[in-house]
């Protein structure tokens, strides 16, 4: 787990390029899938927040999966869904406290961010670097308040 | 890792892994109705039959259900030989006689060129092929609410005593994974009915949207140590909350840095 997926809402312009890139990268049979990342304006007029799976350490989705379709990839640290095993009971969709496990109604699939197997396409296409996949560095300055 | 030959192509596979998983990984279209990765294979539908041979078998070959056959070194597999196709056509023919009204079976049989059954059609037949996916998934998830009951001609899938099953939580996994969509359920507003049992859907406290039943949520929070509050809000409202709190943190950071 060398790199981390970093979201910096301050730089986000809400252009939704990440959504488009995600839909293309996770297309099913040549048809665009539902995006795993959601830029929402968060109720603050000047800030857009791309919401994507936070790959929790103690993940509610893994706990809720009764057939063990969700497992952590030890290389990327991402929680990955095995679509073959998934029985579509929607337990993970209901359990995720961040709302980041989704149901793709068009293809009838449960989807969640898997960091594209260690090379997130959304971060590559983000024009303002609001999304980055980079080695983790602790904050230099402590922020007061 | 061992080398096996599938349709003339040498591929690597894990020893002991079932043949069907290797075949599916190569995107070779072998039909199977009773197969689901979440549960142990059963070999009930017989459609995943393949021809296997080895070089030292002196030209002999045998037919096995690939979902139940573990990979051996130097195996030569044919997934669509004439004889295999003939076996599949016979099975489709029998399926069509027993379940003439199932669109899924009609479609599959049509792909193999069986348009009409050569046997006598069972008039009062239903669409259940007794593959056991529903009961196996129910057992794997830990509910054990339904099972195959009866034997021979009268065998069906049913809850105990044909009454609303007390262990069912209405997760719908049996119905959604049924290969012939036989299991009936109704999902209307805040009410879900399956196996003659009524369930109350857990409505989002903010927008009223429903995802799972109250009983399923209670089961998960009880057995899987997940706080029940997590289930009370739907995924869209959860996302909004996440963006709100992340936005607030980002705004503070922005203020602190400027």
């Amino acid at each position: 787990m060398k790199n981390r997926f970093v979201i910096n809402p301050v730089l986000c312009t809400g252009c939704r390029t990440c959504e488009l890139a995600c839909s293309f990268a996770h297309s099913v049979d040549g048809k665009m899938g539902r995006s795993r990342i959601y830029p929402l304006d968060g109720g603050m007029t000047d800030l857009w927040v791309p919401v994507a799976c936070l790959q929790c350490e103690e993940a509610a989705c893994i706990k809720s999966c009764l057939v063990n379709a969700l497992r952590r990839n030890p290389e990327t640290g991402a929680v990955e869904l095995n679509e073959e095993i998934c029985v579509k009971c929607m337990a993970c969709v209901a359990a995720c406290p961040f709302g980041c496990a989704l149901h793709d109604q068009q293809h009838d699939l449960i989807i969640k961010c898997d960091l594209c197997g260690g090379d997130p396409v959304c971060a590559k296409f983000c024009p303002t670097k609001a999304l980055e996949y980079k080695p983790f560095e602790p904050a230099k300055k402590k922020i007061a308040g | 890792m061992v080398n096996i030959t599938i349709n003339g192509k040498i591929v690597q596979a894990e020893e002991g892994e079932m043949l069907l998983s290797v075949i599916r990984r190569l995107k070779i279209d072998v039909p199977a109705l009773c197969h689901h990765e979440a549960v142990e294979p059963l070999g009930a539908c017989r459609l995943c039959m393949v021809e296997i041979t080895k070089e030292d078998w002196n030209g002999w070959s045998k037919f096995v259900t690939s979902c139940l056959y573990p990979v051996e070194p130097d195996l030569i597999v044919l997934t669509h030989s004439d004889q295999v196709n003939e076996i599949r056509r016979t099975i489709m023919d029998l399926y069509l006689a027993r379940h003439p009204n199932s669109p899924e079976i009609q479609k599959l049989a049509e792909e193999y060129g069986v348009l009409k059954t050569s046997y006598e059609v069972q008039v009062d037949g239903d669409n259940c092929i007794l593959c056991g996916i529903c009961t196996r998934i129910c057992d794997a998830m830990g509910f054990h609410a339904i099972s195959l009951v009866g034997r021979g001609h009268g065998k069906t899938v049913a809850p105990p005593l044909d009454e609303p099953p007390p262990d069912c939580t209405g997760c719908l996994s049996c119905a959604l994974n049924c290969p012939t969509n036989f299991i009936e359920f109704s999902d209307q507003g805040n009410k879900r009915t399956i196996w003659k049992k009524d369930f109350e859907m857990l409505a989002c406290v903010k927008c009223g949207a429903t995802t799972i039943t109250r009983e399923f949520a209670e089961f998960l929070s009880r057995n899987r140590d997940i706080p029940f509050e997590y289930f009370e809000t739907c995924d869209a409202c959860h996302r909004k909350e996440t963006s709100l709190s992340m936005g607030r943190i980002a705004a503070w950071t922005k203020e602190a840095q400027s």
Side-chain angles (χ1 to χ4, degrees), chain B residues 199-257:
Chain B
F199 294 96
E200 185 210 337
M201 299 295 284
L202 194 60
C204 170
V205 287
K206 292 200 176 129
C207 68
T210 57
T211 316
I212 60 172
T213 62
R214 180 177 285 278
E215 274 182 59
F216 191 29
E218 277 166 4
F219 177 89
L220 288 169
S221 73
R222 196 169 58 235
N223 294 321
R224 291 285 170 145
D225 190 27
I226 302 167
F228 191 73
E229 300 91 78
Y230 285 10
F231 298 104
E232 285 176 328
T233 315
C234 73
D235 61 322
C237 292
H238 268 317
R239 269 199 300 284
K240 268 179 216 153
E241 272 177 26
T242 311
S243 75
L244 201 65
S245 26
M246 274 170 73
R248 213 174 281 144
I249 296 166
W252 289 336
T253 320
K254 202 175 169 184
E255 239 169 67
Q257 278 170 351

Side-chain angles (χ1 to χ4, degrees), chain A residues 19 22-28 31-38 51-53 55 61 69-70 79-83 86-94 96 98-115, chain B residues 235 239:
Chain A
E19 236 181 322
C22 186
S23 287
F24 267 111
H26 293 92
S27 53
V28 182
K31 279 187 215 135
M32 275 165 77
R34 190 176 170 186
S35 173
R36 282 125 176 95
I37 186 161
Y38 269 78
V51 179
C53 177
Q55 322 290 359
C61 54
L70 284 156
V79 178
E80 288 180 2
L81 174 77
N82 188 334
E83 282 164 10
C86 178
V87 294
K88 300 178 195 101
C89 66
M90 308 279 277
C92 51
V93 178
C96 180
F98 304 104
C100 290
L102 311 155
H103 180 228
D104 183 345
Q105 280 170 341
Q106 192 193 347
H107 303 297
D108 193 22
L109 288 172
I110 303 295
I111 55 171
K112 78 166 286 303
C113 175
D114 54 358
L115 293 179
Chain B
D235 61 322
R239 269 199 300 284

Side-chain angles (χ1 to χ4, degrees), chain A residues 52-96:
Chain A
C53 177
L54 307 174
Q55 322 290 359
C56 317
E57 214 152 272
E58 200 187 315
C61 54
I62 298 184
K63 273 197 206 167
S64 73
C65 190
L66 296 170
V67 290
N68 296 330
L70 284 156
R71 282 175 205 158
R72 194 176 297 278
N73 183 337
E75 276 172 35
T76 55
V79 178
E80 288 180 2
L81 174 77
N82 188 334
E83 282 164 10
E84 301 267 289
I85 298 179
C86 178
V87 294
K88 300 178 195 101
C89 66
M90 308 279 277
C92 51
V93 178
C96 180

Side-chain angles (χ1 to χ4, degrees), chain B residues 43-73:
Chain B
C45 74
R46 317 308 290 173
L47 283 172
C48 66
M49 201 75 89
V50 293
E51 188 175 354
I52 57 162
T53 181
K54 276 188 187 177
E55 262 174 31
D56 53 357
W57 285 8
N58 300 325
W60 286 84
S61 67
K62 62 176 180 179
F63 299 96
V64 295
T65 45
S66 57
C67 66
L68 280 173
Y69 200 85
V71 168
E72 290 168 15

Side-chain angles (χ1 to χ4, degrees), chain B residues 18 20 22 37 41 76 84 99 115 146 163 209 215 224-225 244 248:
Chain B
M18 297 301 162
L20 187 63
V22 186
E37 287 287 337
I76 299 166
V84 170
H99 317 287
L115 300 173
I146 49 169
E163 285 166 4
E215 274 182 59
R224 291 285 170 145
D225 190 27
L244 201 65
R248 213 174 281 144

Side-chain angles (χ1 to χ4, degrees), chain B residues 20-254:
Chain B
L20 187 63
S21 318
V22 186
I23 292 168
R24 288 263 162 107
R25 206 159 58 224
L26 294 170
K27 310 261 182 230
I28 298 170
D29 188 23
V30 167
L33 291 173
C34 72
H35 184 71
H36 200 287
E37 287 287 337
V39 291
E40 293 288 311
L42 186 68
C45 74
R46 317 308 290 173
L47 283 172
C48 66
M49 201 75 89
V50 293
E51 188 175 354
I52 57 162
T53 181
K54 276 188 187 177
E55 262 174 31
D56 53 357
W57 285 8
N58 300 325
W60 286 84
S61 67
K62 62 176 180 179
F63 299 96
V64 295
T65 45
S66 57
C67 66
L68 280 173
Y69 200 85
V71 168
E72 290 168 15
D74 310 318
L75 213 58
I76 299 166
V77 185
L78 288 173
T79 60
H80 287 82
S81 68
D82 288 348
Q83 277 168 301
V84 170
N85 284 341
E86 193 50 47
I87 290 173
R88 285 200 196 125
R89 268 198 288 275
T90 310
I91 299 167
M92 304 278 190
D93 200 348
L94 288 161
Y95 271 134
L96 270 188
R98 175 103 193 241
H99 317 287
N101 302 321
S102 163
E104 291 81 9
I105 286 178
Q106 282 166 2
K107 197 176 150 240
L108 207 57
E110 211 181 299
E111 277 175 34
Y112 278 81
V114 187
L115 300 173
K116 209 170 159 259
T117 176
S118 55
Y119 298 92
E120 199 180 323
V121 173
Q122 193 185 1
V123 192
D124 57 346
D126 54 30
N127 288 347
C128 177
I129 60 162
L130 300 172
C131 67
I133 281 194
C134 49
T135 63
R136 281 181 289 154
I137 286 180
C138 194
D139 289 347
M141 294 179 83
F143 300 124
H144 310 280
I146 49 169
S147 68
L148 290 167
V149 293
R151 335 171 107 187
H153 198 260
K155 197 174 184 182
T156 50
V157 174
L161 307 172
D162 249 330
E163 285 166 4
D167 296 327
C168 180
T169 59
C171 71
L172 236 53
S173 296
C174 52
L176 296 178
N177 293 288
C178 176
T180 53
N181 291 325
F182 166 67
I183 299 169
E184 281 172 21
F185 65 93
S186 78
D187 232 347
Q188 280 167 340
N190 279 354
K191 217 180 121 205
R192 177 179 282 178
T193 310
I194 188 165
W195 300 114
K196 295 183 212 151
K197 190 177 176 183
D198 294 330
F199 294 96
E200 185 210 337
M201 299 295 284
L202 194 60
C204 170
V205 287
K206 292 200 176 129
C207 68
T210 57
T211 316
I212 60 172
T213 62
R214 180 177 285 278
E215 274 182 59
F216 191 29
E218 277 166 4
F219 177 89
L220 288 169
S221 73
R222 196 169 58 235
N223 294 321
R224 291 285 170 145
D225 190 27
I226 302 167
F228 191 73
E229 300 91 78
Y230 285 10
F231 298 104
E232 285 176 328
T233 315
C234 73
D235 61 322
C237 292
H238 268 317
R239 269 199 300 284
K240 268 179 216 153
E241 272 177 26
T242 311
S243 75
L244 201 65
S245 26
M246 274 170 73
R248 213 174 281 144
I249 296 166
W252 289 336
T253 320
K254 202 175 169 184

